[in-house]
Amino acid sequence: MKAPTLFKVNEPNVIYEIVDGETILLNLNSGYFFNLEGSGEIVWQYILETGNVKKAIQIMTSANRKIREMISSSVTEFVALLVNEKLLVPSDTVESSHGLQETEEKLKASAQNFSPPKMNKYADNQNVLFFSASYFIEEKGWPESIENTGLIGV
Amino acid sequence: MNKGRSSYSVIIPVFNGEKYLDEAISSVLAQTLKPEEIIIVDDGSTDSTAEVVKKYHGSVLYSYQSNKGAAAARNTGLRMAKCDFISFIDADDIWVKDKNEKQMKLFNQHPGTEIVLGFLMPVSSKPQKHDINFPAKKSLLLTHLGSALIHKTVFEKIGNFDEQLALVEDTDWFFRVRESGINVWIQNEMVQYYRIHEKNSTRDKNKTNFYILLAYKKSLDRKRKSGIQDTL
C-alpha cells in the first residue's frame, strides 16, 4: 500500500495560529501544545494551502538538489511526527493544486538555506487546559461528554 | 489599608449583566462569613446593570469604566480591594452560602495554602430564582475563579490578569499559578453554581480558541525567558 501524500489538519480537534510570527498548534484532545521551527513553519503553511506533501518536497528538492535526500527525508519525518500527534490526518483530496505563489517562493528559499523542519511538543499546561471552563463550554452549551472526563466530583 | 487576616473582598466584574446580577449579589450577601467589601466593576454596560446595583446602594462599591474586557474589570477590582483575601464571582453565577466560610477555614487549617479551589455545578439558564437546589446532578473541578478564595499575595507573585486577553484571562492566570508553584488546596465540596446560558462568553469557539492559543504562546515565551527548556 502506498504511503499517503495528501494530508489535512485534524480539525476541529486541532487549532493553530501564527502568533508573533511563530506557528503554534494545540491538540485539544491530547492537550499537547506544539511549536514549529526551521522549515517546519513554511512546510506546514504549504500543507494548509494544498494538502500536498509530495509536492512540497518536490518544490524544495528542485530548489536545492545538492541536499535533496536530506530535504526529502527530514520533511517526510516531520510530517510523520505531525501525523503521529494527530495534528494532520490523511486526506483523499487536494486542497488546491498550487499553494500561494508567496508560499511556494518561501518554500524554495527555505530549501536553499535549509534548516530541517522541527516540531517541539509541550505537555506542561495540559491539566490546566482540561480543567478550564473555556475548554468545556461548547457553542451549544455544556457538552454531554463531560460525564466521561473523570472531572466529576461531589 | 489592610483590613485583616480573615477578611475578604468580593469582586464582581459585570458587562450587560442585568439578567442574573441580582442573584449573584444576593448570594454574596447571604454568605455566612460576610465579606468586608463587595466591589462591582461595571465594564461599560449599556443595559440596566447600574439600576440593578442601585438596589444595593450602601452595601456595595460600584465602579463604572468604559468597556475594556473582563481582565481589565478584574484588575480594577483588585486595585480597589483592601483585604488579604480575594473572591471573584461572575455576574451570572451563584455561590452556596457557606463557600467563603469553609474556604477561609481551610486556609487556617492548612498553613502555606495560597488558593483554595472548590467544585462548581453547572446549572441551566432558567433556575428558580433564589432556589439553589436547581436540578443539578454533579459538580466539577474546574479552574474557575468563582470557585476560589485567593490570598492577595498570589497577585503580587504572579501578577494580575492579562488585559491583552479578551477571553480566557482566567486560564492564562491559572497557567501562571502552575508555573509559579503556587500552593492550591483542592476543596472536595461544591461551592458555586455555574450558569450555562445563551451568552456565556466562551461559546464563540473560534474566538475562545484563538485566545487559548495566545495564552499558550505567552506561557511558552515566559518559559523561554526563564531559560526553561522542557519539550517532550
Side-chain angles (χ1 to χ4, degrees):
Chain A
M1 201 172 104
K2 273 181 79 175
T5 58
L6 300 178
F7 296 91
K8 61 182 179 184
V9 178
N10 185 17
E11 293 179 298
N13 301 323
V14 172
I15 58 176
Y16 55 92
E17 195 70 50
I18 298 173
V19 180
D20 298 334
E22 181 171 15
T23 302
I24 53 176
L25 307 90
L26 177 64
N27 185 326
L28 291 167
N29 281 346
S30 67
Y32 291 128
F33 173 70
F34 306 85
N35 72 327
L36 305 181
E37 289 181 1
S39 54
E41 295 199 294
I42 194 64
V43 170
W44 172 262
Q45 182 61 34
Y46 191 79
I47 293 170
L48 291 184
E49 291 174 15
T50 68
N52 196 332
V53 171
K54 191 176 175 183
K55 191 162 180 202
I57 293 171
Q58 279 171 358
I59 291 169
M60 293 177 81
T61 52
S62 299
N64 191 347
R65 292 188 175 279
K66 284 183 194 165
I67 57 167
R68 63 175 182 264
E69 294 291 324
M70 183 195 201
I71 291 173
S72 178
S73 62
S74 62
V75 172
T76 302
E77 280 172 28
F78 171 69
V79 171
L81 283 174
L82 297 174
V83 171
N84 195 44
E85 293 296 338
K86 296 183 171 55
L87 300 170
L88 291 177
V89 289
S91 171
D92 297 329
T93 53
V94 178
E95 295 291 323
S96 167
S97 55
H98 290 283
L100 294 171
Q101 191 179 348
E102 184 191 350
T103 308
E104 294 199 358
E105 291 303 321
K106 283 184 181 171
L107 208 52
K108 287 177 194 168
S110 78
Q112 285 157 1
N113 188 18
F114 188 64
S115 169
K118 192 177 172 195
M119 179 196 79
N120 297 312
K121 177 179 175 182
Y122 306 88
D124 47 352
N125 281 324
Q126 195 179 21
N127 287 338
V128 182
L129 175 74
F130 287 155
F131 282 72
S132 159
S134 308
Y135 176 72
F136 277 108
I137 300 288
E138 295 181 344
E139 277 153 50
K140 63 178 186 286
W142 204 260
E144 289 174 14
S145 60
I146 200 156
E147 298 282 335
N148 304 318
T149 60
L151 299 178
I152 302 296
V154 288
Chain B
M1 183 177 72
N2 188 310
K3 289 278 190 176
R5 285 174 55 82
S6 288
S7 66
Y8 67 101
S9 304
V10 173
I11 299 172
I12 310 177
V14 56
F15 173 68
N16 288 345
E18 62 179 6
K19 196 169 178 183
Y20 304 118
L21 179 60
D22 193 34
E23 285 180 86
I25 298 173
S26 295
S27 80
V28 174
L29 291 171
Q31 288 295 295
T32 51
L33 179 64
K34 303 296 179 200
E36 188 71 33
E37 57 187 3
I38 303 168
I39 301 165
I40 298 176
V41 183
D42 187 341
D43 190 39
S45 295
T46 53
D47 66 356
S48 61
T49 289
E51 292 300 311
V52 175
V53 177
K54 265 184 193 170
K55 194 176 140 187
Y56 296 97
H57 180 72
S59 302
V60 302
L61 299 169
Y62 175 73
S63 171
Y64 181 91
Q65 62 188 35
S66 59
N67 183 246
K68 294 173 186 162
R74 293 189 198 283
N75 289 342
T76 298
L78 283 172
R79 284 190 291 272
M80 294 170 70
K82 294 182 175 66
C83 299
D84 284 349
F85 293 89
I86 304 291
S87 201
F88 290 95
I89 178 169
D90 289 345
D92 49 0
D93 294 337
I94 298 170
W95 280 338
V96 299
K97 63 183 180 183
D98 54 2
K99 173 206 178 268
N100 289 295
E101 183 183 1
K102 285 187 170 175
Q103 293 191 326
M104 197 64 82
K105 270 186 191 163
L106 287 168
F107 265 106
N108 293 330
Q109 287 166 2
H110 305 283
T113 296
E114 294 171 287
I115 298 174
V116 172
L117 180 66
F119 282 61
L120 59 78
M121 188 170 285
V123 293
S124 65
S125 58
K126 293 175 185 170
Q128 294 299 305
K129 198 173 183 185
H130 301 306
D131 174 9
I132 58 168
N133 296 310
F134 305 149
K137 292 172 187 167
K138 292 171 179 173
S139 62
L140 298 162
L141 179 63
L142 294 183
T143 48
H144 194 268
L145 290 164
S147 305
L149 183 63
I150 304 161
H151 201 283
K152 202 172 182 181
T153 51
V154 175
F155 295 97
E156 290 158 16
K157 287 182 182 176
I158 71 169
N160 291 1
F161 298 95
D162 187 335
E163 297 183 16
Q164 281 189 340
L165 298 168
L167 289 176
V168 309
E169 79 285 352
D170 51 349
T171 303
D172 168 78
W173 190 80
F174 275 106
F175 281 177
R176 285 182 276 143
V177 165
R178 187 200 56 76
E179 289 163 18
S180 302
I182 299 294
N183 289 315
V184 182
W185 185 270
I186 302 298
Q187 174 190 12
N188 192 25
E189 287 178 274
M190 198 278 284
V191 297
Q192 182 194 206
Y193 293 95
Y194 179 91
R195 199 188 307 260
I196 305 298
H197 58 88
E198 68 283 0
K199 289 185 179 171
N200 284 117
S201 61
T202 50
R203 279 204 183 196
D204 181 341
K205 288 318 283 184
N206 286 337
K207 195 172 171 188
T208 301
N209 286 343
F210 171 78
Y211 284 105
I212 286 176
L213 281 169
L214 193 53
Y216 266 91
K217 175 70 163 67
K218 285 171 177 282
S219 172
L220 183 59
D221 288 345
R222 283 191 295 273
K223 274 192 293 198
R224 285 171 172 155
K225 203 171 171 184
S226 64
I228 299 169
Q229 298 289 331
D230 59 349
T231 57
L232 293 177

